Amino acid sequence: MLNRIKHVIKCFRNKELYKQLKLLDSEEAVFLFGSPLYWNEGDQAIAVAEHRLWEKHIKNKNLVDIPRELWEQKKDIICSKNINNRPVFFTGGGYVGDVWNDEQLFVEDVLHNFQNNPIVFFPQTVYFREDANFQRFIDLLNSNKNVLFFARDSKTFE
């Protein structure tokens, strides 16, 4: 797991960041949004598991990590790449909802910018305190053509 953390942090260095952005041009690239750059061990373990799953079952595509912080810095470059119709993945966890507002705004921004892409959420726990925020999120999901959302608990599933 420490190697995974080091890898993600390295992506923020200019040389590694450039490599990640160059991968966006590859037809073999698919995108994992929301990779954690923070030290929550559970979220880091989820990221490691996602990468292992990917390496084991999908060997012909590059999984490109796009943490929220990278999106905020390089959104224009990422959106300018020809990634239409390629799958967009969101890392699993419990950040969808209005508890972690920065993370939710990031998810909504990505969804808004990739409305024609297939979207897959790895297992999530969703929690909204405000019904209006929940409804706004549901409307956004419904505006996308192809969303697959995996729930990791019964309340989220409902």
Side-chain angles (χ1 to χ4, degrees):
M1 182 160 36
L2 188 56
N3 287 337
R4 162 79 181 132
I5 295 168
K6 287 179 184 177
H7 167 74
V8 173
I9 290 172
K10 270 198 228 175
C11 290
F12 246 59
R13 295 190 181 132
N14 287 335
K15 187 175 179 183
E16 292 297 319
L17 179 59
Y18 178 74
K19 286 180 186 177
Q20 286 288 99
L21 292 176
K22 277 214 53 100
L23 285 174
L24 293 174
D25 292 324
S26 166
E27 287 295 322
E28 289 77 38
V30 294
F31 313 97
L32 180 61
F33 284 89
S35 301
L37 286 181
Y38 46 86
W39 289 98
N40 179 298
E41 290 178 2
D43 289 343
Q44 290 297 332
I46 290 169
V48 168
E50 289 166 348
H51 276 264
R52 286 184 182 161
L53 176 77
W54 197 264
E55 291 165 2
K56 183 175 181 180
H57 297 288
I58 306 172
K59 298 178 183 189
N60 61 335
K61 299 285 184 187
N62 295 316
L63 189 61
V64 179
D65 284 302
I66 303 178
R68 177 179 50 85
E69 295 84 354
L70 176 59
W71 175 257
E72 289 170 351
Q73 289 181 11
K74 302 295 182 181
K75 174 182 168 181
D76 292 342
I77 293 172
I78 295 166
C79 288
S80 73
K81 302 297 181 180
N82 185 20
I83 61 176
N84 288 336
N85 300 318
R86 287 198 257 163
V88 169
F89 293 85
F90 282 94
T91 192
Y95 58 88
V96 174
D98 55 11
V99 174
W100 308 103
N101 196 48
D102 288 343
E103 300 301 324
Q104 180 62 23
L105 292 174
F106 159 68
V107 168
E108 291 175 8
D109 195 25
V110 173
L111 287 172
H112 177 74
N113 280 280
F114 296 106
Q115 290 185 352
N116 295 318
N117 295 64
I119 306 287
V120 177
F121 283 84
F122 283 123
Q124 281 287 333
T125 297
V126 175
Y127 181 75
F128 283 91
R129 294 176 287 202
E130 300 291 330
D131 289 341
N133 294 338
F134 174 68
Q135 190 57 53
R136 186 180 75 237
F137 182 63
I138 293 299
D139 291 344
L140 184 56
L141 287 178
N142 288 333
S143 72
N144 286 62
K145 296 181 189 269
N146 188 3
V147 176
L148 183 58
F149 196 105
F150 289 96
R152 67 178 189 176
D153 60 277
S154 59
K155 186 170 182 175
T156 298
F157 182 78
E158 290 170 10

